[in-house]
């Protein structure tokens, strides 16, 4: 659905990168969600911050070396947001060998 909307030129989500340190991850996720909602009130039908926090800024963005970021996505459509969150957070089976 995201690819189809991107091709049609309709914006259905926004991205916010938030720098973080390893301590207090849960508090930082809540802060990132709150910050996103304040900055982008039109895209808050579903807000999801990836709890892994291992993202780097896109190429060309000014950043510090080795700084990691939370990736927060805000969706205009709640169903699309839930589907993306489910896909990102589900555990995949591990097959030895």
């Amino acid at each position: 659905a995201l690819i189809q909307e991107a091709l049609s030129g309709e914006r259905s989500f926004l991205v916010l990168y938030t720098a973080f340190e390893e301590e207090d991850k849960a508090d930082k996720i809540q802060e990132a969600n709150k910050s996103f909602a304040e900055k982008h009130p039109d895209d808050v039908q579903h807000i999801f911050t990836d709890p892994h926090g291992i993202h780097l800024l896109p190429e060309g963005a000014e950043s510090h070396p080795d700084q990691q970021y939370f990736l927060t996505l805000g969706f205009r459509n709640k169903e699309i947001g839930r589907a993306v969150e489910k896909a990102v957070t589900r555990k995949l089976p591990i097959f030895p060998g």
Side-chain angles (χ1 to χ4, degrees), residues 16-21 28 31-33 35-36 49 55 57 67-72:
L16 175 71
Y17 289 89
T18 307
F20 84 99
E21 303 296 328
K28 295 294 182 184
E31 287 177 29
N33 289 348
S35 176
F36 186 96
T49 299
H55 299 280
L57 290 181
Q67 176 66 56
Q68 293 182 348
Y69 295 86
F70 282 123
L71 176 68
T72 302

Side-chain angles (χ1 to χ4, degrees), residues 7-95:
L7 292 174
S8 69
E10 182 179 336
R11 181 179 59 81
S12 61
F13 69 98
L14 282 177
V15 177
L16 175 71
Y17 289 89
T18 307
F20 84 99
E21 303 296 328
E22 283 295 322
E23 61 271 349
D24 297 330
K25 241 184 190 183
D27 291 337
K28 295 294 182 184
I29 289 173
Q30 288 179 344
E31 287 177 29
N33 289 348
K34 183 179 176 186
S35 176
F36 186 96
E38 290 171 356
K39 291 179 182 180
H40 306 287
D42 293 338
D43 297 280
V44 295
Q45 289 299 312
H46 187 81
I47 298 175
F48 167 65
T49 299
D50 184 2
H52 301 105
I54 55 173
H55 299 280
L56 302 175
L57 290 181
E59 187 174 320
E62 195 173 315
S63 67
H64 299 289
D66 301 325
Q67 176 66 56
Q68 293 182 348
Y69 295 86
F70 282 123
L71 176 68
T72 302
L73 302 171
F75 295 88
R76 289 186 173 195
N77 182 308
K78 188 183 294 187
E79 288 76 27
I80 292 174
R82 287 181 180 166
V84 169
E85 180 175 357
K86 185 177 179 180
V88 170
T89 57
R90 83 174 167 207
K91 293 188 180 206
L92 299 174
I94 299 173
F95 299 102

